[in-house]
Every structure is written in C-alpha cells, then in structure tokens.
Amino acid sequence: MVSLICTLQDHRDEVYWCAFSPTLLATCSGDKTIRIYNTNDFSELPFSPLSGHRYGVHCCSFSVCGTYLFTCSTDALTIIWSMATGASDGTLALWDFHSKKLRKSKAVTEATVMACCFTPCGQMFVTGCTSGDIKVWDLDMKQLYAERDAHDMGVACCHFAPQFDIDFSSVEFRLASCGQDSQLKVWIVSQHGAAACEMKLLHTLTGQSAPVLSCAFSSDGELLVSGSVDKTVTVYNASDGVLLHTLKRHESFVTACAFSPTLPWMATGSMDKKVNVWRIADRDIGQAQPRNPSCQGAGRKLSGHSRLLVSDWSEEDVLAWLSEEGLEELVTTFTTNNIDGPELLCLTKETLASELSIESVGLRGKVLRKVEALKAELTGLDAPDEFLCPITREVMKDPVIAADGYSYEREAIESWISAKNRSSPMTNLPLPTTLVMPNRSLKTAIGRWTATQ
C-alpha cells in the first residue's frame, strides 16, 4: 500500500525533477530554483532555494555520498558539475568531476538527447533521444550497442536498477526506459567480455494511457515507478512487471519520480507545481522503516507491532492494531471509512457514533479507552527529540557539539567527518572546523531521563 505523507507547494512553476539523498530531498522547477528539504520533517533548509540558474532547472541529482548536488538548466549550465549530461544540440558531454573539466564531447545524433544514466558500476552509460533510440556507451565514448526505435516518438527518461548480476565473464543490468509511446519498458543490458554488449526487452508495461515522462527503480530494485501525462503515478513489481498501485493525486502531468535510498519513501513532481511524498508499505518494499517524524508533524514511535509513527500509520497498520487489541469486529467498519493513523488519534465518541455508525455504547467506550492508552504510551516511552542524535536517531551516550551548533553522538559525527564529509549533517553547509566539544549539560540531562525509565 502507498499512502501520501505530505505535499510540498513551494515552487512557483512546474516541477521538473526530484531526487533523494540519505537525508535530503531536492526538487527543481521552471521557476529557476532548486529547493532542498530535510527528510526528518520535510522542512525547507535555511539556504534553500538555490537560485544559480538563469532559466528553468530541468534535472537534479545527488552524488552517491549525498554530499554534492548536480543541476542542469536551459541556460546550458551544469552546477555543481555532473559526470554526464545530455543536450538539445545533439551532443553528449562527459565531465571529470574532480577537475571540473570537460573530458570528452561527441555528436550523438541529430535528435535531442533527453535521457542519460550510468550503470551502477559506473563503467558504462546509456542515452535516449527524441528519435526513440537507446544507445550504450563506454567511458571512452565508444558506442557499444544501439537499440533502434526503443520507444516510438522518443525516449523521455531511463534509469538503471542499483543491483546487477555477474556470471563469469558477463554482467547483466536492468534498465527502465519510458517515452512518448505511453510505455514503460524494462530491459536486460548485458556486457560480455571487454566490449560485446546487447539489450533484450524483458517487460513492456502499459499501465498509463499517455506519454510516460519519468521512471525510477527503488534502492533495493524491487519496485519501479513511473509518472505520466495522464496525471497518474504507477508502481510496479520490478521483477514480474505486475502493476501494484495507480496513484491519482496530481492535477497535471507527472514529470518526476524518485525513491529515497534509505527510507520507504517516494517523491513525485508535477506541472501542478507540487511535490508529493509517499510512504510505501512493508509488503511492497523491503526497506527499513523511517526513524524520523513525517511532515504531518505530530506523533512518536510506538513499540510493538509497528516501528512507524502512529501519525504515519496506513489503513493496514490500523487494522493490524485493531486485531491486536481484540477489536476485530470493527475491521470492516474502519476499512469502509478508510481510517488511518492520524484519523485514529482524532476519534471521539461523536465521530464513532455519527460517522462510523457504531451503535454499541460499550464498544465505543472500549475503542476510546484503547486510543487513550495508545496516546499515553506515545507520550511515555520515547526520549525527547533533543536527546536523539540527528544522524543515528538514537539516544546519545556521549553527546558533542559540532561547529554547526548541533549536538551529535561523538562516534557518529566523527565517522561522518572522517568520511571526508566536511558539511553539516543538518544544514549541509560547510563546517568551519571539524573540532567537536563535549556537551556535558546534555549528557547529564540524558542520564537523569534514562534513570527514570
């Protein structure tokens, strides 16, 4: 099941792209800006929006470590530098990241290059263009393979699954592509030996009725999402191509989609100027549960059957809770009324009687007592948020203050810095110094709280 977490409405023009890092969400738009959100609560960071482009920003992407963000625009600029970019002049440019210099440029076709992505190993990349061709290249700009007319009327987007298979001298990748033919396709890209390469079509997915503009694999490769001109978002099982969900919460073309690399979240952007953030149920994706509050705001974690915040509970989570609390007779009623976590916490005797039509006074009272007990458990079991390390989201044992003014678990922030990450985990701004100071007052407060638990 996929449930909407929040809708971000800060852009003043169409949203063209969105991308996750382990801790941030970036969105870019025709309003010439890039906006950066903290995935703790989806609040916009102080330095956002970024406004270095003169025209609409069409694409954004984080580096693997999450330290760098690359953006490209109609102004023909790439900021901060990307390793591979496509252009409407029919050329392909390959950049050296460290020196920020152009490594190679090559005329690909007379058509516009609309899509470009690297294999997970970084040794090959593919391009897709308005002629409908998909081509595979090595780092020397040598064309290894060309799939002609992969999409009738043009390729809009392509994306490799993070996983790949190695068998003796061959390696296989899964590639998703979408286009103006209203189709989403899954390919097997195989490389045999040093140069031989081929593509074979695995699935043709037709869950949308208009051109498909964007596609992306989840970080575990189990799911595949796409956005379309028909205003829908479709989610498929990537292995067998079975359609799992069709989401209809955008009011215009869906131009962007992305999965979080660390949390069961997905973001979609649209020409309606909105970005929707979705939570994906455990049965759909095998990722860890989010450890931080969603942008709905309220709520703490509940120990027991669910590691999610109650305010993040889906309808299925609520039904599981009913069964555990001996309220199975209400499963049908709650299902009919689509009761999720936030609605569960807001139930009153009036809503139980008038909206849910529960006639039994005793049963209404039992539900309310269970909800009140749930609320009491929420307020009594979890540590105050200031006791949690922003990196690990666990109660700190040795809190220290970094140069950004925030407190972290010593081991966590030192590991962050030792990985050559000189930016703040909270603001993403450069740290003036890597020195940290013990936060003795916070350590004392945590000790007192721990002793009462």
Side-chain angles (χ1 to χ4, degrees):
M1 183 175 184
V2 179
S3 56
L4 184 64
I5 292 178
C6 66
T7 298
L8 307 173
Q9 304 183 61
D10 300 306
H11 283 295
R12 301 189 306 274
D13 205 340
E14 301 166 352
V15 176
Y16 291 140
W17 207 265
C18 52
F20 277 103
S21 78
T23 58
L24 301 174
L25 170 64
T27 63
C28 59
S29 166
D31 64 9
K32 310 176 188 178
T33 69
I34 305 99
R35 293 186 178 268
I36 313 296
Y37 302 89
N38 191 320
T39 53
N40 283 345
D41 55 6
F42 290 100
S43 59
E44 192 167 5
L45 297 186
F47 59 84
S48 178
L50 307 177
S51 54
H53 286 288
R54 299 191 301 273
Y55 298 103
V57 186
H58 292 280
C59 186
C60 60
S61 178
F62 284 99
S63 60
V64 175
C65 64
T67 306
Y68 304 101
L69 176 69
F70 312 108
T71 62
C72 58
S73 163
T74 307
D75 60 12
L77 295 178
T78 300
I79 309 172
I80 301 166
W81 303 88
S82 173
M83 290 190 66
T85 57
S88 59
D89 59 2
T91 63
L92 181 69
L94 188 66
W95 300 87
D96 180 81
F97 173 75
H98 297 289
S99 65
K100 303 180 179 64
K101 293 182 179 179
L102 180 64
R103 179 173 171 176
K104 280 194 176 183
S105 180
K106 182 181 181 70
V108 178
T109 175
E110 294 179 356
T112 298
V113 180
M114 297 296 295
C116 182
C117 63
F118 272 95
T119 57
C121 65
Q123 299 303 304
M124 298 189 301
F125 60 96
V126 302
T127 58
C129 60
T130 52
S131 69
D133 297 346
I134 295 177
K135 297 181 179 180
V136 185
W137 309 81
D138 65 15
L139 298 184
D140 292 323
M141 290 290 206
K142 177 183 177 182
Q143 182 178 309
L144 302 179
Y145 185 84
E147 184 70 27
R148 303 295 181 186
D149 300 318
H151 287 276
D152 188 23
M153 297 184 291
V155 181
C157 183
C158 54
H159 189 253
F160 276 103
Q163 295 76 23
F164 55 94
D165 296 322
I166 300 177
D167 183 16
F168 299 104
S169 61
S170 66
V171 58
E172 290 188 350
F173 306 91
R174 276 187 303 163
L175 173 71
S177 66
C178 57
Q180 299 296 324
D181 55 5
S182 306
Q183 295 181 347
L184 174 65
K185 295 184 177 182
V186 181
W187 309 82
I188 298 296
V189 180
S190 303
Q191 185 178 27
H192 308 283
C197 183
E198 62 179 352
M199 282 179 59
K200 291 183 179 179
L201 182 62
L202 183 62
H203 301 298
T204 298
L205 309 177
T206 57
Q208 289 162 311
S209 60
V212 184
L213 303 179
S214 57
C215 60
F217 280 101
S218 60
S219 60
D220 62 2
E222 294 183 5
L223 298 181
L224 178 61
V225 63
S226 63
S228 170
V229 169
D230 67 7
K231 308 177 187 178
T232 68
V233 176
T234 54
V235 182
Y236 298 89
N237 183 309
S239 298
D240 55 21
V242 172
L243 178 62
L244 301 176
H245 307 286
T246 299
L247 311 175
K248 301 179 180 180
R249 298 295 291 269
H250 282 293
E251 299 165 6
S252 188
F253 303 170
V254 182
T255 53
C257 53
F259 285 96
S260 167
T262 56
L263 299 168
W265 291 342
M266 176 179 73
T268 57
S270 168
M271 288 187 176
D272 61 10
K273 308 178 186 179
K274 299 176 183 177
V275 175
N276 284 335
V277 182
W278 310 82
R279 184 180 71 84
I280 305 166
D282 292 346
R283 65 184 178 87
D284 286 338
I285 188 168
Q287 290 179 305
Q289 294 295 335
R291 296 174 293 179
N292 306 314
S294 77
C295 60
Q296 290 183 359
R300 293 181 180 272
K301 298 176 191 174
L302 173 69
S303 62
H305 83 277
S306 177
R307 292 167 291 168
L308 291 174
L309 305 169
V310 179
S311 61
D312 286 343
W313 278 10
S314 67
E315 296 169 24
E316 290 181 342
D317 294 325
V318 172
L319 298 182
W321 175 79
L322 287 175
S323 298
E324 288 188 357
E325 297 297 332
L327 297 169
E328 293 90 346
E329 60 194 295
L330 295 177
V331 167
T332 300
T333 300
F334 275 53
T335 300
T336 302
N337 289 274
N338 305 115
I339 302 298
D340 57 12
E343 292 170 329
L344 176 68
L345 294 175
C346 295
L347 289 178
T348 65
K349 59 183 179 181
E350 289 79 13
T351 57
L352 289 171
S354 60
E355 296 181 18
L356 273 65
S357 301
I358 299 177
E359 297 179 358
S360 171
V361 176
L363 186 56
R364 293 200 300 265
K366 184 177 181 180
V367 172
L368 291 177
R369 288 193 298 273
K370 295 291 185 181
V371 172
E372 289 303 315
L374 179 61
K375 292 178 179 179
E377 187 174 0
L378 293 177
T379 57
L381 286 180
D382 282 276
D385 194 65
E386 60 267 24
F387 291 176
L388 305 180
C389 172
I391 298 174
T392 66
R393 296 304 295 172
E394 296 177 355
V395 176
M396 289 180 279
K397 298 178 181 178
D398 186 12
V400 295
I401 302 175
D404 60 0
Y406 290 92
S407 293
Y408 304 90
E409 179 65 46
R410 180 186 293 275
E411 183 179 354
I413 188 62
E414 288 180 348
S415 296
W416 175 277
I417 293 172
S418 66
K420 298 181 180 180
N421 196 331
R422 295 293 298 268
S423 61
S424 164
M426 294 298 287
T427 67
N428 212 33
L429 294 173
L431 291 170
T433 176
T434 58
L435 296 177
V436 296
M437 298 292 293
N439 191 337
R440 295 186 176 86
S441 60
L442 180 57
K443 186 174 183 178
T444 300
I446 292 174
R448 290 172 180 169
W449 176 83
T450 302
T452 64
Q453 300 305 301

